[in-house]
Amino acid sequence: MRRFLISFFLCMAGIAMSGQDYAQYIDQRIGTGGNGHVFLGANVPWGLVQVGPNQYTRGWDWTSGYHDSDSILIGFGHMHLSGTGIGELGDVAFIPLKKDESLSGPHEMKFSHNDEMVQPGYYSIQLSDPAVRVELTATQRVAMHRYTTCSQPYTHLLAIDLAQCIGWDKMTECFITQDSPTMLSGYRHSTGWAQDRWTYFAIEFSVPIQLGGQSGDTLYTIQTAKTETPLLVKVALSPTSAGDAKVNMMSEMPGWNFDEVRQAAYEAWNKELSRIRIEAREDRKKVFYTAMYHLMTAPSVFCNTDKSYRGADGKNHQADYTTYTTLSLWDTYRSAHPLMTLICPEKQRDFAETFMAINDEQGRLPVWHLMGNETDCMVGNPGAIVLADLVLKGFVKDKERAYQALKQTQLHDGRLLGTLQQYGYIPYDKVNEGETVAKALEYCIADDAVARVAKLLGHDEDYRYFHNRSQSYKKYFDPKTKFMRAIDSKGTFREPFDPIKSRHRDDDYTEGNAWQYTWLVPHDIAGLVKLFGGKKNFMKKFDQFFIIEGDMGEFASPDISGLIGQYAHGNEPSHHMIYMYDYVGEPQKAAPLLRKVMDEMYHTGRDGLIGNEDVGQMSAWYILSAMGIYQVEPAGGHFVIGTPVVDKAEINVGNGKTFTITAENNSRENIHVKAAYLNGKRLSRNWLTFEEISKGGHLRLVMNAFP
């Protein structure tokens, strides 16, 4: 323990000497309770390796492999998801064993959270049975373990479990071989949410080992002779081959200095967090920088150090860009990707190339891509929205190639797009699946995004086609009830109708109800207002949205959380809706609602996220809103001005430029923007363009207690 504490303080001293310490504000435990579903363990920004504890999958709240309420570990896996609604991964799990422990049956390790230590890029736990300290750190593609037993000389006994998994994942085939006295390599193939997933690995030990096995060849014992030092283990992953995993190990982690790797991981987080420097209360710094951590946990790199990767066609490819995976696009197109266009401009080409390569390999842009697999999870074509946004913001060099991918995706006949092309909308009586309103509204958003790119490139006929199709949301609007409702092929609304009841996915809506989906028109708010008959009628209904309460029923999705009336901040379709007040000239109504969400639904407790994190989206909403800006229109849209809770934010927008937002007289009472000045000139509008922010400058907001 004394040696461990000395190395810890030396590591932190090195951090302090290197510059301002933003990573000190990360608290990985935020979101490990409640419904946050976040990853807890050791990783670096955007890393493929996310090494940390595995627990039994006991339900929806265990989709990351860990929940704060649990006290039993079953291993330490090398890949995890963060904030998803479905569980997967947990690959290549290591299990410390007791002497003479039987290999049959479960291997459970009881633990206390008081014996855990978690910091950016580092996880440790002191186990009592077996009596061993487990320490973990990582680079992007390689993990390092350190095992310290309580007595010297040390003896080490481990198991490698290739069958262990999280959630839907099921191992179908695996192989491991000993290449040298200290090196193992192999692969694991599984099916589940990702139906054809391959994980290749190389494992190197600091001392020679003996490899044993169990019937079924899924659980392997590792035994060392007595040694004078703790056992170190390096585990490298690759999407293409075990040989490539070895190359990744040599490229990223050639040495054996655990504390140096740990410090480098911490510094990597510090560097990424410095993209936004804020002045705020200490608790808000903790929430803000933890949100930054969650944002940057994924997308994950999905290529080797030489940029080779496994494609959606199941073949290996060589690229000249970094390929990414864990693309939860139905969630992240709303805030996470727009935020990253501001703070990570250098990554946008990689994202665009990844998307276009997936289109080439599977015939359409990604929906929810996981480890080379299209899961088709959630509705719409969110990949088209993100790629269109990148084109409109100038991040894509070959705009015509991108446009052809967008067009091909939106003219694909799968996922009810064929029905949409045939009828001009999706009549519920012509399909054998539900969620038709949600699917149609999401396709309208994607059609609008494609139309904007078509217009930019001069494809006038295509522009008219996709623009007209983006307006088909109007067919679902019932002028009598003033809700978006399912319609049949004769144009008749489905009966009976209850705007509050929700039946999860066996319904006309996706994880929501009619109250929540009526406002899912972020691309044409002016057109939606006209459907209501003007601003007065719109406001009457919209005000009710944040007040009316009711029982959604026993079959409602658990994602519908964080309710203010029927507004559900715990689920992504609601995320733009408070900001719609800005579009009708009523920002004074948005400000108290925005503050309520930021103050009450994001906090420093273990249940500090009101809904599951959804791979950075929940946190991205907070980061943007805390600074006082938000992109409502998903493709190339403006950033509207809200109500900042941080007093100052300096955003590194790339190319040596900084965009600074200051909030003068900011307080719990002063929540309204009295005046806004861009580069010293008073604004007569309540929004900024992407170009205005990305070229650097200063937005000065004067706050006031009264609208």
Side-chain angles (χ1 to χ4, degrees):
M1 175 62 77
R2 184 172 180 270
R3 180 205 56 80
F4 167 76
L5 290 174
I6 290 173
S7 67
F8 165 72
F9 287 120
L10 287 174
C11 179
M12 293 303 100
I15 300 298
M17 292 171 61
S18 65
Q20 190 166 349
D21 186 2
Y22 302 99
Q24 67 176 307
Y25 296 108
I26 294 176
D27 184 353
Q28 284 196 53
R29 295 198 181 280
I30 295 175
T32 58
N35 302 135
H37 299 185
V38 300
F39 162 70
L40 181 137
N43 64 328
V44 295
W46 327 107
L48 173 65
V49 165
Q50 296 171 4
V51 58
N54 289 352
Q55 298 173 341
Y56 289 121
T57 300
R58 304 184 191 276
W60 188 60
D61 286 331
W62 276 260
T63 57
S64 73
Y66 182 97
H67 194 266
D68 184 73
S69 64
D70 211 332
S71 60
I72 294 177
L73 303 181
I74 58 173
F76 299 92
H78 289 80
M79 289 196 294
H80 294 82
L81 295 173
S82 185
T84 55
I86 297 175
E88 187 89 343
L89 309 182
D91 291 46
V92 193
F94 275 52
I95 308 169
L97 296 176
K98 293 171 281 190
K99 186 178 181 181
D100 300 326
E101 182 175 355
S102 170
L103 287 179
S104 62
H107 299 271
E108 299 180 348
M109 296 167 280
K110 293 183 179 180
F111 77 103
S112 167
H113 294 296
N114 294 330
D115 295 325
E116 291 179 300
M117 177 179 288
V118 189
Q119 290 179 327
Y122 176 78
Y123 172 89
S124 76
I125 184 168
Q126 178 64 58
L127 298 172
S128 58
D129 191 18
V132 59
R133 173 173 289 277
V134 180
E135 297 176 83
L136 307 171
T137 189
T139 60
Q140 284 199 327
R141 299 168 180 85
V142 190
M144 183 178 279
H145 303 228
R146 182 161 64 188
Y147 297 94
T148 307
T149 58
C150 294
S151 60
Q152 293 189 26
Y154 301 110
T155 57
H156 304 282
L157 183 64
L158 299 172
I160 301 175
D161 188 348
L162 297 181
Q164 192 170 126
C165 59
I166 296 169
W168 290 14
D169 184 78
K170 180 181 179 182
M171 191 276 293
T172 58
E173 179 185 356
C174 66
F175 173 77
I176 194 168
T177 186
Q178 185 161 3
D179 301 322
S180 76
T182 59
M183 177 72 77
L184 305 175
S185 64
Y187 65 81
R188 180 184 187 274
H189 178 254
S190 65
T191 187
W193 193 12
Q195 295 184 2
D196 182 27
R197 191 166 68 80
W198 294 84
T199 302
Y200 295 91
F201 58 85
I203 305 171
E204 187 173 13
F205 296 84
S206 58
V207 296
I209 56 98
Q210 291 182 339
L211 175 66
Q214 183 192 9
S215 175
D217 291 333
T218 63
L219 188 69
Y220 300 84
T221 58
I222 305 297
Q223 187 163 2
T224 71
K226 293 183 178 181
T227 66
E228 299 298 323
T229 59
L231 174 65
L232 296 175
V233 187
K234 295 189 288 191
V235 182
L237 301 183
S238 167
T240 55
S241 74
D244 288 333
K246 293 178 182 178
V247 174
N248 291 340
M249 184 185 295
M250 287 302 299
S251 299
E252 291 190 358
M253 197 183 291
W256 288 97
N257 192 317
F258 184 95
D259 293 326
E260 282 187 0
V261 176
R262 175 187 174 186
Q263 180 168 342
Y266 193 96
E267 290 281 17
W269 280 112
N270 224 20
K271 180 180 178 181
E272 291 296 309
L273 296 183
S274 70
R275 292 176 186 267
I276 305 179
R277 301 178 295 275
I278 66 167
E279 294 179 8
R281 295 194 327 242
E282 291 298 294
D283 61 329
R284 283 186 172 147
K285 285 182 181 180
K286 196 171 185 179
V287 173
F288 188 94
Y289 285 112
T290 301
M292 291 276 285
Y293 168 82
H294 288 146
L295 172 73
M296 295 172 176
T297 296
S300 307
V301 298
F302 191 61
C303 59
N304 300 307
T305 54
D306 68 352
K307 301 189 185 304
S308 58
Y309 70 97
R310 178 181 173 86
D313 56 2
K315 300 176 182 178
N316 293 344
H317 299 265
Q318 182 64 54
D320 64 352
Y321 56 88
T322 299
T323 300
Y324 285 89
T325 189
T326 322
L327 301 171
S328 181
L329 297 169
W330 182 82
D331 307 291
T332 57
Y333 87 78
R334 306 170 200 269
S335 302
H337 278 281
L339 172 59
M340 287 189 284
T341 63
L342 294 178
I343 67 173
C344 304
E346 78 287 352
K347 294 188 181 297
Q348 304 314 308
R349 175 193 175 244
D350 294 338
F351 291 150
E353 292 290 345
T354 295
F355 283 30
M356 290 188 288
I358 290 172
N359 178 77
D360 294 342
E361 293 155 7
Q362 68 179 27
R364 54 195 171 95
L365 290 166
V367 177
W368 210 125
H369 233 257
L370 180 61
M371 307 298 166
N373 287 255
E374 181 56 77
T375 70
D376 274 323
C377 190
M378 308 312 292
V379 299
N381 272 333
I385 300 170
V386 175
L387 182 58
D389 190 44
L390 295 180
V391 173
L392 294 168
K393 290 176 177 176
F395 288 111
V396 181
K397 184 176 181 180
D398 191 345
K399 294 180 175 60
E400 192 58 42
R401 180 191 173 203
Y403 176 68
Q404 292 305 318
L406 292 166
K407 182 177 179 179
Q408 177 176 317
T409 298
Q410 286 304 98
L411 294 180
H412 193 271
D413 61 3
R415 291 168 55 84
L416 299 188
L417 277 166
T419 305
L420 175 60
Q421 294 173 52
Q422 180 180 357
Y423 292 93
Y425 65 103
I426 304 176
Y428 71 81
D429 61 328
K430 295 297 182 180
V431 299
N432 295 318
E433 52 190 277
E435 305 176 287
T436 57
V437 177
K439 291 170 181 175
L441 295 179
E442 291 284 357
Y443 282 140
C444 286
I445 299 171
D447 281 334
D448 174 78
V450 176
R452 294 184 188 216
V453 176
K455 186 176 183 179
L456 175 72
L457 300 181
H459 298 298
D460 295 337
E461 184 176 347
D462 286 357
Y463 164 72
R464 288 189 291 271
Y465 173 78
F466 287 114
H467 174 71
N468 289 338
R469 212 169 74 171
S470 77
Q471 298 293 297
S472 65
Y473 72 87
K474 297 174 182 177
K475 298 179 184 294
Y476 297 88
F477 185 77
D478 176 9
K480 183 178 180 180
T481 64
K482 293 183 171 53
F483 285 107
M484 296 289 181
R485 298 179 55 184
I487 50 176
D488 63 17
S489 54
K490 297 179 181 179
T492 303
F493 293 104
R494 188 201 293 270
E495 297 290 352
F497 172 67
D498 186 330
I500 292 181
K501 285 291 188 291
S502 177
R503 297 192 305 276
H504 202 13
R505 292 175 183 169
D506 183 25
D507 203 348
D508 299 325
Y509 312 95
T510 299
E511 299 175 358
N513 62 20
W515 269 107
Q516 290 142 14
Y517 272 85
T518 293
W519 320 104
L520 190 59
V521 192
H523 62 290
D524 187 23
I525 295 173
L528 181 62
V529 172
K530 288 181 181 179
L531 281 183
F532 278 90
K535 175 183 173 180
K536 181 179 180 180
N537 290 334
F538 174 88
M539 288 296 297
K540 181 179 179 181
K541 188 82 168 186
F542 196 54
D543 287 342
Q544 291 176 343
F545 175 51
F546 297 98
I547 298 172
I548 192 166
E549 297 181 356
D551 182 6
M552 294 186 190
E554 61 178 313
F555 301 110
S557 168
D559 288 283
I560 308 174
S561 59
L563 291 173
I564 304 175
Q566 290 301 298
Y567 172 85
H569 191 75
N571 209 20
E572 281 64 30
S574 288
H575 275 189
H576 70 284
M577 293 176 186
I578 296 176
Y579 287 99
M580 291 174 70
Y581 275 121
D582 288 73
Y583 281 73
V584 291
E586 301 284 350
Q588 76 280 3
K589 292 188 176 182
L593 291 169
L594 291 170
R595 289 290 180 109
K596 180 179 179 66
V597 171
M598 286 187 276
D599 289 342
E600 298 179 11
M601 299 186 188
Y602 296 85
H603 57 80
T604 59
R606 298 186 182 189
D607 60 346
L609 289 168
I610 201 67
N612 54 307
E613 167 60 23
D614 279 315
V615 196
Q617 168 58 27
M618 191 72 70
S619 288
W621 185 97
Y622 180 85
I623 294 165
L624 285 166
S625 297
M627 295 189 297
I629 56 175
Y630 192 84
Q631 179 176 312
V632 173
E633 301 159 65
H638 302 136
F639 287 82
V640 298
I641 297 172
T643 175
V645 295
V646 302
D647 300 327
K648 183 179 182 179
E650 296 178 338
I651 309 169
N652 180 351
V653 293
N655 298 316
K657 299 176 182 178
T658 300
F659 188 82
T660 302
I661 303 173
T662 55
E664 295 182 5
N665 306 319
N666 199 23
S667 68
R668 293 184 184 273
E669 295 76 27
N670 294 346
I671 67 173
H672 300 284
V673 177
K674 179 181 179 181
Y677 299 84
L678 180 62
N679 300 325
K681 184 178 180 180
R682 185 161 184 166
L683 284 175
S684 59
R685 49 183 162 90
N686 63 348
W687 48 268
L688 304 172
T689 66
F690 170 77
E691 291 74 17
E692 286 172 328
I693 300 174
S694 62
K695 67 183 181 182
H698 181 205
L699 176 65
R700 182 167 68 93
L701 303 177
V702 181
M703 308 303 294
N704 192 41
F706 305 101

